[in-house]
Amino acid sequence: LTKNHFPTINTLVDSCNLAVLSNLVPLGIFDYQKLIGSLILRLSIPGDTIIPIGAKVPQEIPSGLPIFVDDEKVVSVFYHRDSDFSKITLATKDVLLMAVAVEGVSIPELEAGLDNGTNFILKYNVIFVYFYIVFAFDSPFGIKRGIFWFKPF
């Protein structure tokens, strides 16, 4: 952004980023076909690792950080680092679009952000948005209360 232009990655990721900028609601997007089983949020424990996008070797995750995991691996360190394994590529056909509530963002704002994200994705991509999920917490890192919506398109 310091070069007076918005960086582009690919049409699918750019569509998601456009929705984020339009609604100021944080969204995450993952290749749905690369996820194994359920996606859950938990705190990291000793031995948790992630291969960040663009990296070749696993990196240890400090204990106590919120992470998203599927049945086999860490998918994302909460709003910090996504896994190279579940990244969006030109071969991606199905996506999981996710919004996570943070302080100051209401549930209606999350829903509007997800709807806008879905609309941008479907407008500019031949893709299927499998589900979208909203997680809400009592604090940015508190895992006390979860609200989940699953909405197939």
Side-chain angles (χ1 to χ4, degrees), residues 36 108 110 115 120:
I36 309 298
L110 285 173
D115 286 340
F120 277 125

Side-chain angles (χ1 to χ4, degrees), residues 1 4-5 8 10 30 33-34 43 45 49-50 62-63 66 70 84-85 87 97 114 116 121 128 137 150-151:
L1 294 178
N4 296 324
H5 74 279
T8 60
N10 64 46
F30 303 95
Q33 296 300 319
K34 294 178 182 174
L43 297 178
I45 57 174
T49 62
I50 187 170
S63 294
D70 67 10
D84 196 68
F85 182 79
K87 73 181 177 188
L97 180 63
L114 286 167
N116 197 25
I121 289 167
F128 186 73
F137 305 101
F150 296 90
K151 184 175 180 180

Side-chain angles (χ1 to χ4, degrees), residues 82-128:
D82 288 337
S83 168
D84 196 68
F85 182 79
S86 58
K87 73 181 177 188
I88 301 299
T89 68
L90 295 177
T92 299
K93 299 294 181 212
D94 304 317
V95 297
L96 175 70
L97 180 63
M98 175 175 58
V100 179
V102 293
E103 190 172 336
V105 178
S106 69
I107 298 298
E109 289 172 315
L110 285 173
E111 291 175 321
L114 286 167
D115 286 340
N116 197 25
T118 300
N119 290 336
F120 277 125
I121 289 167
L122 296 176
K123 180 176 181 179
Y124 297 111
N125 302 274
V126 180
I127 202 85
F128 186 73

Side-chain angles (χ1 to χ4, degrees), residues 24-78:
L24 299 179
V25 171
L27 299 174
I29 190 168
F30 303 95
D31 189 321
Y32 183 79
Q33 296 300 319
K34 294 178 182 174
L35 300 174
I36 309 298
S38 300
L39 187 65
I40 63 167
L41 176 66
R42 67 168 172 81
L43 297 178
S44 59
I45 57 174
D48 280 332
T49 62
I50 187 170
I51 300 176
I53 292 176
K56 300 289 184 213
V57 296
Q59 296 178 0
E60 181 125 4
I61 302 167
S63 294
L65 293 180
I67 58 174
F68 289 100
V69 298
D70 67 10
D71 289 352
E72 295 182 358
K73 67 200 156 304
V74 175
V75 174
S76 178
V77 177
F78 185 70

